[in-house]
Amino acid sequence: MYFKIAIKNVKKSFKDYSIYFLTLTLAVCIFYSFNSLESQEVLTDIEISGKSYVDTLSTIISYMSVFVAFILGSLILYANNFLIKKRNKELGIYMTLGMSKGTISKILIYETLLVGALSLISGIMVGLLTSQGLSIMVSKLFEINLDNYSFIISLSSILKTIAYFGMMYFLVMIFNTYIIAKYKIIDLLTVGRKTEEIKFKNPVIYLITFLLCILSLGSAYVLILDVGLDPKNFKFILSIILGMAGTLLFFYSLSGAALYIVKRNKKIYFKGLNIFVIKQINSKINTNFISMSVVCLMLFLTIGILSTGFSFKSALESGLKGSTPFDASAYLFVDEEDEIKNISTALDNLNFTFDEEDEVVFYNEYTKDLKISDILPMEKDLNQFQFEVSFIKASDYNNIRKLEGKQEIQLDDSDLLLTSNYSELAAEIQTFMDDNDTLKLSDSVYEIQNTDVINTNLKTDFAENNLLTIIIDDAFLNDASVITSVVNIEFANKSNSQSKKDFEELMYDYKQGKIDPTEGSFILGNTRSQIYEENKGLTTTLLFVGIYLGIVFLISSMAVLALQQLSEASDSIPRYISLKKLGASKKNIIKTIFVQTLIYFSIPIGLALVHSIVGIQVANDFISAFNKPDIGTASLITAGFLSSIYAIYFYTTYIGYKNIVLSKI
Amino acid sequence: MKNILAVEKIEKYYGNEENMTKAIDNINFEVREGEFAGIMGPSGSGKTTLLNCISTIDSVTTGKIMINDKDITRLKPKELDIFRQNELGFIFQDFNLLDTLTSYENIALSLTIKGEKVENVDEKIRSVATYLGIEDILNKYPYQISGGQKQRVASARAIVTDPSLILADEPTGSLDSKSARLLLEKFEKLNTDLNATILMVTHDAFTASYAHRILFIKDGKLFTELVRGNDTRKEFFNRIIDVITLIGGDDNDVF
């Protein structure tokens, strides 16, 4: 009997609360998709440098899932609260009919069970499909061959999803029982009639807070653009706090300030149903300013993560080509006190030998105790200019070029070459070279032989990090001290080389601390393939966690906005009835609903976009330290993704709102 | 004096052929310009249906309703909206004020829906507010004012567009007797000073006694008509009570 009532209620809710189901289904779907990654067979095979990145990825995702479950749980409670509130009257009628609170709770528990089961089933169904798409995406990102691809259903992830969401639904049940226990019949029955008190304070207060908001947002932007992505810096933290406070103030004051301004513009204020629209939005934002601020910040995070995440990844990866000119490189930092000043000696001490057919070039980087800013008059005050200038002997450089398969360069004793590929710095040096043909070093003037800066790495490394290396006649460096001793290797057997394996093992042992540095100083080295794989593992893992969180944030914020609009719709029915009686046409009323929903959805996204423009700028400055990022594609993908989710929620909300109102007028 | 409203042989049926209810069964009457007319009848008599038909919210099954010589039963939905905006003013039992708007904005809304020129809006509101004595509460929200004040704001909203006909549906239904008296005095004033034509539906004899002429409806038919003539309000009230007793008496005969 009670189960029947529950079933009927759920059927009703299906129509009224499509948003609730949409959100639950999407939440389950995403939760399953990301957690099922570990079971995707294609991915379990990939082992890179002794460890599986997919393992790390799925471990991180399962940790993140706890956090995500927390967010989704709060979202579900929030949505459930709306459902219950909407049904106060119905529950009150049950009570007046003599139904006990226990029984009502029972009906609600049945309902939650039903809704939960339905959303779990539909969510997992969709999740089964999206998880395949996700695993294809992962394999693309990790560049795995998809020959033996098969459709995977991960039982363990299904169970995990059911367990997590079961917990959330259980919480919802407890919450509902608590709410019911607290209710009095009179409140339940009259709740619709109590008109919400609309508190509007003096407009001056709103204007002042709005000014404060602009001030704090403005200074937050200035601070963060100045200091960049530096979480340890006090200014960075201050700007985050100011940004959050500014966002809160924005939503607190926005409607009041906007109302104040619009009221002065009679042309807008007294046009059609504008008064009504403005006041509708005004009262809604006024009561929901905190949740709107949270939504705005979440959207900002989503936009930020998604757009910079992709460009972060592509920037790091496109940089790899330039940062790995050789199959492998190893290097040794040399101090004055060190006994071993040469990597070749160090390797000999370790009894490490290359294959006879491997091409090997040893060279040293020297220092003259010169800072970059000492020799190059630069306009911009960049931190990079505090670094020391490296020097390489012309003979060494020619050996390096030979190894790269390039022609040798003849350098007179009064000539030098400038090399740099550290993005912004290289550009600065190029500007300098466009204006100058000579460079003053140690009181003598040298001719710069190259017209364009040579932008290559001189050794294989994780990033394009050649700040400024000057190639100069050997004699100039006779009394200079060595800072780094380097070896570049091109292996004879590209695919399966024993010496490559030995080399990787040796470097691995160093990193693991298995070799006592005193025996042969501390050598750092990587092969090109190692760098590629490590980089992919790192960036892909980061990117995935980012996408996971981003999507969850996005769906949560959209759901919150949609639910607020829909609850507003049922609250506003009497208002629309009045409008209709006053002679407002159906067309105008529908237009009002559209405009209202649009504005309500746009304001948080609008501010989030402004935040994002600044945020992306900051992230770009940070990323461009590695490479010039290609933000375009990532932004387009993000924009496309964001707007499609936005459009789905906006349209569902608008249609829902419209149906709720039109069914009553 | 010309007719503002002419109801000609209207009928309104509910249900299907086998089970038909005649909510309105051949009603004819006129309301002349500047008249303050009332419609009375027990619940279920069809008075609300009649008002809904006149106010274009509902449609008749047969018959004509002429307002200002225009047959409103033949208007298209779009024309109806415009007609309602220009020719009719509504006052409801439950006020129907928008709770998000101040009194001022509530009154303004009916002007802006009509598409009134922006520069006239403020002036019109001020003058009608002065007339109804609500200048002090123009910037207050409905929840901040009393029931009587709300109904006066609603009345201001109804007359600010200068409609041909003001339709009032149980305007005193939600008011205490003092507020009701105050409101009805305003209605009288509107009627005499501004020559406003008012058609008011009520089941309350006291309220009805303010009208000049009362139509009694029973079972969807016009039962009788009372004209106040030169009677005092007190005398008219007594005559109304007599008719009510008569109508009620019919009911008693059934048992």
Side-chain angles (χ1 to χ4, degrees), chain A residues 198 200 266 269-270 272 279 575 578-583 585, chain B residues 81 84-85 90 92 96 98-99 101 105 109 112 118 141 143:
Chain A
I198 300 144
F200 292 113
K266 302 271 186 234
Y269 189 53
F270 284 143
K279 282 303 190 73
R575 295 174 198 151
S578 302
L579 281 185
K580 185 75 191 153
K581 283 184 177 166
L582 286 175
S585 66
Chain B
D81 285 328
R84 210 176 303 159
Q85 291 159 13
F90 294 95
F92 308 93
N96 270 319
L98 293 159
D99 55 356
L101 305 187
E105 290 162 338
L109 192 62
T112 61
V118 171
Y141 286 89
Y143 73 90

PDB file of all heavy atoms in Angstrom, chain A residues 198 200 266 269-270 272 279 575 578-583 585, chain B residues 81 84-85 90 92 96 98-99 101 105 109 112 118 141 143:
ATOM      1  N   ILE A 198      10.484  39.632   1.856  1.00  0.00           N
ATOM      2  CA  ILE A 198      11.557  40.042   0.961  1.00  0.00           C
ATOM      3  C   ILE A 198      12.259  41.229   1.583  1.00  0.00           C
ATOM      4  O   ILE A 198      11.676  42.296   1.735  1.00  0.00           O
ATOM      5  CB  ILE A 198      10.997  40.384  -0.418  1.00  0.00           C
ATOM      6  CG1 ILE A 198      10.319  39.139  -0.973  1.00  0.00           C
ATOM      7  CG2 ILE A 198      12.089  40.831  -1.360  1.00  0.00           C
ATOM      8  CD1 ILE A 198       9.101  39.422  -1.771  1.00  0.00           C
ATOM      9  N   PHE A 200      14.727  44.041   1.510  1.00  0.00           N
ATOM     10  CA  PHE A 200      15.604  44.887   0.715  1.00  0.00           C
ATOM     11  C   PHE A 200      16.136  45.967   1.631  1.00  0.00           C
ATOM     12  O   PHE A 200      15.375  46.703   2.245  1.00  0.00           O
ATOM     13  CB  PHE A 200      14.837  45.523  -0.439  1.00  0.00           C
ATOM     14  CG  PHE A 200      14.397  44.533  -1.461  1.00  0.00           C
ATOM     15  CD1 PHE A 200      13.064  44.247  -1.660  1.00  0.00           C
ATOM     16  CD2 PHE A 200      15.337  43.870  -2.228  1.00  0.00           C
ATOM     17  CE1 PHE A 200      12.665  43.330  -2.599  1.00  0.00           C
ATOM     18  CE2 PHE A 200      14.938  42.949  -3.176  1.00  0.00           C
ATOM     19  CZ  PHE A 200      13.599  42.672  -3.356  1.00  0.00           C
ATOM     20  N   LYS A 266      14.113  54.827 -16.557  1.00  0.00           N
ATOM     21  CA  LYS A 266      12.682  54.541 -16.684  1.00  0.00           C
ATOM     22  C   LYS A 266      12.370  53.799 -17.975  1.00  0.00           C
ATOM     23  O   LYS A 266      11.399  53.056 -18.055  1.00  0.00           O
ATOM     24  CB  LYS A 266      11.891  55.855 -16.643  1.00  0.00           C
ATOM     25  CG  LYS A 266      12.137  56.662 -15.378  1.00  0.00           C
ATOM     26  CD  LYS A 266      11.169  56.286 -14.280  1.00  0.00           C
ATOM     27  CE  LYS A 266      11.308  57.179 -13.063  1.00  0.00           C
ATOM     28  NZ  LYS A 266      11.525  56.452 -11.836  1.00  0.00           N
ATOM     29  N   TYR A 269      12.908  50.239 -16.969  1.00  0.00           N
ATOM     30  CA  TYR A 269      12.123  49.881 -15.791  1.00  0.00           C
ATOM     31  C   TYR A 269      10.645  49.792 -16.125  1.00  0.00           C
ATOM     32  O   TYR A 269       9.952  48.871 -15.699  1.00  0.00           O
ATOM     33  CB  TYR A 269      12.376  50.954 -14.727  1.00  0.00           C
ATOM     34  CG  TYR A 269      11.836  50.666 -13.364  1.00  0.00           C
ATOM     35  CD1 TYR A 269      12.141  49.471 -12.725  1.00  0.00           C
ATOM     36  CD2 TYR A 269      11.061  51.598 -12.694  1.00  0.00           C
ATOM     37  CE1 TYR A 269      11.665  49.222 -11.454  1.00  0.00           C
ATOM     38  CE2 TYR A 269      10.591  51.362 -11.430  1.00  0.00           C
ATOM     39  CZ  TYR A 269      10.893  50.166 -10.804  1.00  0.00           C
ATOM     40  OH  TYR A 269      10.430  49.916  -9.550  1.00  0.00           O
ATOM     41  N   PHE A 270      10.159  50.722 -16.913  1.00  0.00           N
ATOM     42  CA  PHE A 270       8.721  50.775 -17.191  1.00  0.00           C
ATOM     43  C   PHE A 270       8.381  50.134 -18.527  1.00  0.00           C
ATOM     44  O   PHE A 270       7.455  50.545 -19.203  1.00  0.00           O
ATOM     45  CB  PHE A 270       8.225  52.222 -17.181  1.00  0.00           C
ATOM     46  CG  PHE A 270       8.092  52.782 -15.801  1.00  0.00           C
ATOM     47  CD1 PHE A 270       8.408  54.100 -15.524  1.00  0.00           C
ATOM     48  CD2 PHE A 270       7.631  51.982 -14.762  1.00  0.00           C
ATOM     49  CE1 PHE A 270       8.281  54.612 -14.254  1.00  0.00           C
ATOM     50  CE2 PHE A 270       7.508  52.484 -13.484  1.00  0.00           C
ATOM     51  CZ  PHE A 270       7.831  53.795 -13.219  1.00  0.00           C
ATOM     52  N   GLY A 272       7.096  46.866 -20.478  1.00  0.00           N
ATOM     53  CA  GLY A 272       6.486  45.543 -20.416  1.00  0.00           C
ATOM     54  C   GLY A 272       6.567  44.935 -19.027  1.00  0.00           C
ATOM     55  O   GLY A 272       6.256  45.569 -18.040  1.00  0.00           O
ATOM     56  N   LYS A 279      12.548  42.158 -10.437  1.00  0.00           N
ATOM     57  CA  LYS A 279      12.281  41.818  -9.046  1.00  0.00           C
ATOM     58  C   LYS A 279      12.371  40.317  -8.793  1.00  0.00           C
ATOM     59  O   LYS A 279      12.799  39.887  -7.721  1.00  0.00           O
ATOM     60  CB  LYS A 279      10.906  42.355  -8.634  1.00  0.00           C
ATOM     61  CG  LYS A 279      10.913  43.836  -8.347  1.00  0.00           C
ATOM     62  CD  LYS A 279      11.924  44.171  -7.276  1.00  0.00           C
ATOM     63  CE  LYS A 279      11.848  45.583  -6.761  1.00  0.00           C
ATOM     64  NZ  LYS A 279      10.736  45.883  -5.925  1.00  0.00           N
ATOM     65  N   ARG A 575       2.113  34.385  -8.744  1.00  0.00           N
ATOM     66  CA  ARG A 575       2.496  35.632  -9.416  1.00  0.00           C
ATOM     67  C   ARG A 575       2.132  35.576 -10.898  1.00  0.00           C
ATOM     68  O   ARG A 575       1.625  36.545 -11.465  1.00  0.00           O
ATOM     69  CB  ARG A 575       4.006  35.876  -9.278  1.00  0.00           C
ATOM     70  CG  ARG A 575       4.416  36.098  -7.843  1.00  0.00           C
ATOM     71  CD  ARG A 575       5.918  36.199  -7.705  1.00  0.00           C
ATOM     72  NE  ARG A 575       6.296  35.989  -6.319  1.00  0.00           N
ATOM     73  CZ  ARG A 575       7.448  35.479  -5.931  1.00  0.00           C
ATOM     74  NH1 ARG A 575       8.351  35.134  -6.818  1.00  0.00           N
ATOM     75  NH2 ARG A 575       7.716  35.318  -4.660  1.00  0.00           N
ATOM     76  N   SER A 578      -1.508  35.989 -11.373  1.00  0.00           N
ATOM     77  CA  SER A 578      -1.864  37.402 -11.297  1.00  0.00           C
ATOM     78  C   SER A 578      -1.538  38.116 -12.600  1.00  0.00           C
ATOM     79  O   SER A 578      -2.336  38.895 -13.117  1.00  0.00           O
ATOM     80  CB  SER A 578      -1.121  38.086 -10.153  1.00  0.00           C
ATOM     81  OG  SER A 578      -1.413  37.458  -8.946  1.00  0.00           O
ATOM     82  N   LEU A 579      -0.338  37.844 -13.123  1.00  0.00           N
ATOM     83  CA  LEU A 579       0.075  38.500 -14.364  1.00  0.00           C
ATOM     84  C   LEU A 579      -0.916  38.214 -15.473  1.00  0.00           C
ATOM     85  O   LEU A 579      -1.313  39.091 -16.233  1.00  0.00           O
ATOM     86  CB  LEU A 579       1.459  38.006 -14.790  1.00  0.00           C
ATOM     87  CG  LEU A 579       2.669  38.582 -14.094  1.00  0.00           C
ATOM     88  CD1 LEU A 579       3.928  38.057 -14.756  1.00  0.00           C
ATOM     89  CD2 LEU A 579       2.650  40.096 -14.196  1.00  0.00           C
ATOM     90  N   LYS A 580      -1.299  36.939 -15.549  1.00  0.00           N
ATOM     91  CA  LYS A 580      -2.225  36.528 -16.599  1.00  0.00           C
ATOM     92  C   LYS A 580      -3.541  37.267 -16.436  1.00  0.00           C
ATOM     93  O   LYS A 580      -4.113  37.771 -17.404  1.00  0.00           O
ATOM     94  CB  LYS A 580      -2.426  35.015 -16.502  1.00  0.00           C
ATOM     95  CG  LYS A 580      -3.276  34.419 -17.592  1.00  0.00           C
ATOM     96  CD  LYS A 580      -2.512  34.343 -18.904  1.00  0.00           C
ATOM     97  CE  LYS A 580      -3.457  34.007 -20.046  1.00  0.00           C
ATOM     98  NZ  LYS A 580      -2.992  34.499 -21.328  1.00  0.00           N
ATOM     99  N   LYS A 581      -4.013  37.373 -15.190  1.00  0.00           N
ATOM    100  CA  LYS A 581      -5.281  38.062 -14.948  1.00  0.00           C
ATOM    101  C   LYS A 581      -5.174  39.539 -15.283  1.00  0.00           C
ATOM    102  O   LYS A 581      -6.156  40.167 -15.641  1.00  0.00           O
ATOM    103  CB  LYS A 581      -5.706  37.895 -13.484  1.00  0.00           C
ATOM    104  CG  LYS A 581      -6.275  36.518 -13.206  1.00  0.00           C
ATOM    105  CD  LYS A 581      -6.780  36.424 -11.782  1.00  0.00           C
ATOM    106  CE  LYS A 581      -7.411  35.074 -11.513  1.00  0.00           C
ATOM    107  NZ  LYS A 581      -7.595  34.854 -10.064  1.00  0.00           N
ATOM    108  N   LEU A 582      -3.989  40.097 -15.130  1.00  0.00           N
ATOM    109  CA  LEU A 582      -3.805  41.511 -15.435  1.00  0.00           C
ATOM    110  C   LEU A 582      -3.769  41.757 -16.933  1.00  0.00           C
ATOM    111  O   LEU A 582      -3.695  42.892 -17.381  1.00  0.00           O
ATOM    112  CB  LEU A 582      -2.498  42.024 -14.829  1.00  0.00           C
ATOM    113  CG  LEU A 582      -2.507  42.218 -13.321  1.00  0.00           C
ATOM    114  CD1 LEU A 582      -1.131  42.613 -12.840  1.00  0.00           C
ATOM    115  CD2 LEU A 582      -3.513  43.291 -12.955  1.00  0.00           C
ATOM    116  N   GLY A 583      -3.750  40.668 -17.707  1.00  0.00           N
ATOM    117  CA  GLY A 583      -3.802  40.845 -19.145  1.00  0.00           C
ATOM    118  C   GLY A 583      -2.478  40.635 -19.848  1.00  0.00           C
ATOM    119  O   GLY A 583      -2.358  40.921 -21.030  1.00  0.00           O
ATOM    120  N   SER A 585       0.135  38.705 -21.898  1.00  0.00           N
ATOM    121  CA  SER A 585      -0.106  37.614 -22.836  1.00  0.00           C
ATOM    122  C   SER A 585       0.810  36.441 -22.516  1.00  0.00           C
ATOM    123  O   SER A 585       1.854  36.584 -21.889  1.00  0.00           O
ATOM    124  CB  SER A 585       0.138  38.083 -24.261  1.00  0.00           C
ATOM    125  OG  SER A 585       1.504  38.383 -24.419  1.00  0.00           O
TER     126      SER A 585
ATOM    127  N   ASP B  81      -6.045  39.606 -25.133  1.00  0.00           N
ATOM    128  CA  ASP B  81      -5.046  40.164 -24.210  1.00  0.00           C
ATOM    129  C   ASP B  81      -5.076  41.684 -24.275  1.00  0.00           C
ATOM    130  O   ASP B  81      -5.088  42.363 -23.247  1.00  0.00           O
ATOM    131  CB  ASP B  81      -3.645  39.650 -24.577  1.00  0.00           C
ATOM    132  CG  ASP B  81      -3.465  38.204 -24.162  1.00  0.00           C
ATOM    133  OD1 ASP B  81      -4.063  37.813 -23.138  1.00  0.00           O
ATOM    134  OD2 ASP B  81      -2.742  37.468 -24.850  1.00  0.00           O
ATOM    135  N   ARG B  84      -8.226  43.058 -22.764  1.00  0.00           N
ATOM    136  CA  ARG B  84      -8.184  42.998 -21.304  1.00  0.00           C
ATOM    137  C   ARG B  84      -7.317  44.118 -20.738  1.00  0.00           C
ATOM    138  O   ARG B  84      -7.632  44.737 -19.730  1.00  0.00           O
ATOM    139  CB  ARG B  84      -7.629  41.635 -20.884  1.00  0.00           C
ATOM    140  CG  ARG B  84      -8.154  41.147 -19.552  1.00  0.00           C
ATOM    141  CD  ARG B  84      -7.640  39.766 -19.240  1.00  0.00           C
ATOM    142  NE  ARG B  84      -7.971  38.813 -20.282  1.00  0.00           N
ATOM    143  CZ  ARG B  84      -7.308  37.673 -20.460  1.00  0.00           C
ATOM    144  NH1 ARG B  84      -6.283  37.372 -19.699  1.00  0.00           N
ATOM    145  NH2 ARG B  84      -7.658  36.852 -21.416  1.00  0.00           N
ATOM    146  N   GLN B  85      -6.198  44.374 -21.415  1.00  0.00           N
ATOM    147  CA  GLN B  85      -5.294  45.428 -20.943  1.00  0.00           C
ATOM    148  C   GLN B  85      -5.966  46.799 -20.985  1.00  0.00           C
ATOM    149  O   GLN B  85      -5.774  47.627 -20.108  1.00  0.00           O
ATOM    150  CB  GLN B  85      -4.029  45.471 -21.800  1.00  0.00           C
ATOM    151  CG  GLN B  85      -3.123  44.268 -21.637  1.00  0.00           C
ATOM    152  CD  GLN B  85      -2.202  44.121 -22.841  1.00  0.00           C
ATOM    153  OE1 GLN B  85      -2.073  45.013 -23.667  1.00  0.00           O
ATOM    154  NE2 GLN B  85      -1.562  42.963 -22.933  1.00  0.00           N
ATOM    155  N   PHE B  90      -9.366  44.786 -12.968  1.00  0.00           N
ATOM    156  CA  PHE B  90      -9.793  43.714 -12.080  1.00  0.00           C
ATOM    157  C   PHE B  90      -9.463  44.005 -10.631  1.00  0.00           C
ATOM    158  O   PHE B  90      -8.377  44.492 -10.319  1.00  0.00           O
ATOM    159  CB  PHE B  90      -9.095  42.395 -12.458  1.00  0.00           C
ATOM    160  CG  PHE B  90      -9.491  41.875 -13.788  1.00  0.00           C
ATOM    161  CD1 PHE B  90      -8.738  42.157 -14.906  1.00  0.00           C
ATOM    162  CD2 PHE B  90     -10.622  41.089 -13.924  1.00  0.00           C
ATOM    163  CE1 PHE B  90      -9.098  41.677 -16.138  1.00  0.00           C
ATOM    164  CE2 PHE B  90     -10.988  40.605 -15.155  1.00  0.00           C
ATOM    165  CZ  PHE B  90     -10.234  40.896 -16.263  1.00  0.00           C
ATOM    166  N   PHE B  92      -9.618  41.585  -7.141  1.00  0.00           N
ATOM    167  CA  PHE B  92      -9.902  40.215  -6.728  1.00  0.00           C
ATOM    168  C   PHE B  92     -10.055  40.116  -5.222  1.00  0.00           C
ATOM    169  O   PHE B  92      -9.556  40.948  -4.481  1.00  0.00           O
ATOM    170  CB  PHE B  92      -8.760  39.289  -7.158  1.00  0.00           C
ATOM    171  CG  PHE B  92      -8.415  39.399  -8.608  1.00  0.00           C
ATOM    172  CD1 PHE B  92      -7.422  40.265  -9.036  1.00  0.00           C
ATOM    173  CD2 PHE B  92      -9.081  38.633  -9.545  1.00  0.00           C
ATOM    174  CE1 PHE B  92      -7.100  40.378 -10.372  1.00  0.00           C
ATOM    175  CE2 PHE B  92      -8.761  38.740 -10.880  1.00  0.00           C
ATOM    176  CZ  PHE B  92      -7.772  39.608 -11.296  1.00  0.00           C
ATOM    177  N   ASN B  96      -4.359  39.501  -5.322  1.00  0.00           N
ATOM    178  CA  ASN B  96      -3.484  39.205  -6.450  1.00  0.00           C
ATOM    179  C   ASN B  96      -2.397  40.245  -6.668  1.00  0.00           C
ATOM    180  O   ASN B  96      -2.046  40.568  -7.789  1.00  0.00           O
ATOM    181  CB  ASN B  96      -4.297  39.066  -7.735  1.00  0.00           C
ATOM    182  CG  ASN B  96      -4.728  37.637  -7.954  1.00  0.00           C
ATOM    183  OD1 ASN B  96      -3.949  36.715  -7.726  1.00  0.00           O
ATOM    184  ND2 ASN B  96      -5.959  37.442  -8.356  1.00  0.00           N
ATOM    185  N   LEU B  98       1.500  41.256  -6.558  1.00  0.00           N
ATOM    186  CA  LEU B  98       2.745  40.491  -6.677  1.00  0.00           C
ATOM    187  C   LEU B  98       3.620  40.787  -5.472  1.00  0.00           C
ATOM    188  O   LEU B  98       3.954  41.945  -5.215  1.00  0.00           O
ATOM    189  CB  LEU B  98       3.448  40.869  -7.971  1.00  0.00           C
ATOM    190  CG  LEU B  98       2.665  40.415  -9.202  1.00  0.00           C
ATOM    191  CD1 LEU B  98       3.058  41.206 -10.420  1.00  0.00           C
ATOM    192  CD2 LEU B  98       2.857  38.932  -9.432  1.00  0.00           C
ATOM    193  N   ASP B  99       3.968  39.727  -4.741  1.00  0.00           N
ATOM    194  CA  ASP B  99       4.669  39.945  -3.468  1.00  0.00           C
ATOM    195  C   ASP B  99       6.096  40.438  -3.633  1.00  0.00           C
ATOM    196  O   ASP B  99       6.702  40.926  -2.701  1.00  0.00           O
ATOM    197  CB  ASP B  99       4.651  38.670  -2.616  1.00  0.00           C
ATOM    198  CG  ASP B  99       5.213  37.488  -3.368  1.00  0.00           C
ATOM    199  OD1 ASP B  99       5.528  37.650  -4.558  1.00  0.00           O
ATOM    200  OD2 ASP B  99       5.360  36.404  -2.774  1.00  0.00           O
ATOM    201  N   LEU B 101       6.878  42.842  -5.650  1.00  0.00           N
ATOM    202  CA  LEU B 101       6.863  44.229  -6.095  1.00  0.00           C
ATOM    203  C   LEU B 101       6.301  45.135  -5.004  1.00  0.00           C
ATOM    204  O   LEU B 101       5.443  44.720  -4.233  1.00  0.00           O
ATOM    205  CB  LEU B 101       6.002  44.380  -7.345  1.00  0.00           C
ATOM    206  CG  LEU B 101       6.323  43.498  -8.554  1.00  0.00           C
ATOM    207  CD1 LEU B 101       5.473  43.918  -9.734  1.00  0.00           C
ATOM    208  CD2 LEU B 101       7.777  43.583  -8.924  1.00  0.00           C
ATOM    209  N   GLU B 105       5.185  49.588  -7.721  1.00  0.00           N
ATOM    210  CA  GLU B 105       5.507  48.755  -8.883  1.00  0.00           C
ATOM    211  C   GLU B 105       4.322  47.902  -9.310  1.00  0.00           C
ATOM    212  O   GLU B 105       4.123  47.633 -10.494  1.00  0.00           O
ATOM    213  CB  GLU B 105       6.714  47.868  -8.565  1.00  0.00           C
ATOM    214  CG  GLU B 105       7.995  48.652  -8.459  1.00  0.00           C
ATOM    215  CD  GLU B 105       9.097  47.895  -7.735  1.00  0.00           C
ATOM    216  OE1 GLU B 105       8.776  46.958  -6.960  1.00  0.00           O
ATOM    217  OE2 GLU B 105      10.256  48.225  -7.935  1.00  0.00           O
ATOM    218  N   LEU B 109       2.911  48.086 -12.980  1.00  0.00           N
ATOM    219  CA  LEU B 109       2.935  46.909 -13.842  1.00  0.00           C
ATOM    220  C   LEU B 109       1.742  46.875 -14.795  1.00  0.00           C
ATOM    221  O   LEU B 109       1.892  46.535 -15.969  1.00  0.00           O
ATOM    222  CB  LEU B 109       2.974  45.643 -12.981  1.00  0.00           C
ATOM    223  CG  LEU B 109       3.294  44.354 -13.729  1.00  0.00           C
ATOM    224  CD1 LEU B 109       4.681  44.427 -14.346  1.00  0.00           C
ATOM    225  CD2 LEU B 109       3.208  43.168 -12.800  1.00  0.00           C
ATOM    226  N   THR B 112       2.517  49.171 -17.524  1.00  0.00           N
ATOM    227  CA  THR B 112       3.582  48.767 -18.447  1.00  0.00           C
ATOM    228  C   THR B 112       3.147  47.576 -19.295  1.00  0.00           C
ATOM    229  O   THR B 112       3.567  47.435 -20.436  1.00  0.00           O
ATOM    230  CB  THR B 112       4.890  48.414 -17.696  1.00  0.00           C
ATOM    231  OG1 THR B 112       4.634  47.311 -16.824  1.00  0.00           O
ATOM    232  CG2 THR B 112       5.410  49.571 -16.898  1.00  0.00           C
ATOM    233  N   VAL B 118       6.365  55.768 -21.143  1.00  0.00           N
ATOM    234  CA  VAL B 118       7.197  55.792 -19.943  1.00  0.00           C
ATOM    235  C   VAL B 118       7.005  57.077 -19.143  1.00  0.00           C
ATOM    236  O   VAL B 118       6.900  57.060 -17.924  1.00  0.00           O
ATOM    237  CB  VAL B 118       8.680  55.615 -20.342  1.00  0.00           C
ATOM    238  CG1 VAL B 118       9.582  55.850 -19.149  1.00  0.00           C
ATOM    239  CG2 VAL B 118       8.911  54.239 -20.911  1.00  0.00           C
ATOM    240  N   TYR B 141       6.130  46.884   0.541  1.00  0.00           N
ATOM    241  CA  TYR B 141       5.797  45.609  -0.094  1.00  0.00           C
ATOM    242  C   TYR B 141       4.480  45.106   0.472  1.00  0.00           C
ATOM    243  O   TYR B 141       4.123  45.432   1.610  1.00  0.00           O
ATOM    244  CB  TYR B 141       6.911  44.596   0.148  1.00  0.00           C
ATOM    245  CG  TYR B 141       8.120  44.891  -0.674  1.00  0.00           C
ATOM    246  CD1 TYR B 141       9.129  45.717  -0.218  1.00  0.00           C
ATOM    247  CD2 TYR B 141       8.221  44.354  -1.957  1.00  0.00           C
ATOM    248  CE1 TYR B 141      10.220  46.024  -0.999  1.00  0.00           C
ATOM    249  CE2 TYR B 141       9.308  44.644  -2.749  1.00  0.00           C
ATOM    250  CZ  TYR B 141      10.306  45.484  -2.267  1.00  0.00           C
ATOM    251  OH  TYR B 141      11.370  45.771  -3.062  1.00  0.00           O
ATOM    252  N   TYR B 143       3.592  42.496   1.931  1.00  0.00           N
ATOM    253  CA  TYR B 143       3.606  41.887   3.265  1.00  0.00           C
ATOM    254  C   TYR B 143       3.723  42.923   4.376  1.00  0.00           C
ATOM    255  O   TYR B 143       3.519  42.621   5.545  1.00  0.00           O
ATOM    256  CB  TYR B 143       4.718  40.839   3.376  1.00  0.00           C
ATOM    257  CG  TYR B 143       6.109  41.399   3.468  1.00  0.00           C
ATOM    258  CD1 TYR B 143       6.679  41.694   4.713  1.00  0.00           C
ATOM    259  CD2 TYR B 143       6.864  41.633   2.327  1.00  0.00           C
ATOM    260  CE1 TYR B 143       7.949  42.217   4.799  1.00  0.00           C
ATOM    261  CE2 TYR B 143       8.133  42.159   2.396  1.00  0.00           C
ATOM    262  CZ  TYR B 143       8.672  42.448   3.629  1.00  0.00           C
ATOM    263  OH  TYR B 143       9.920  42.974   3.720  1.00  0.00           O
TER     264      TYR B 143
END
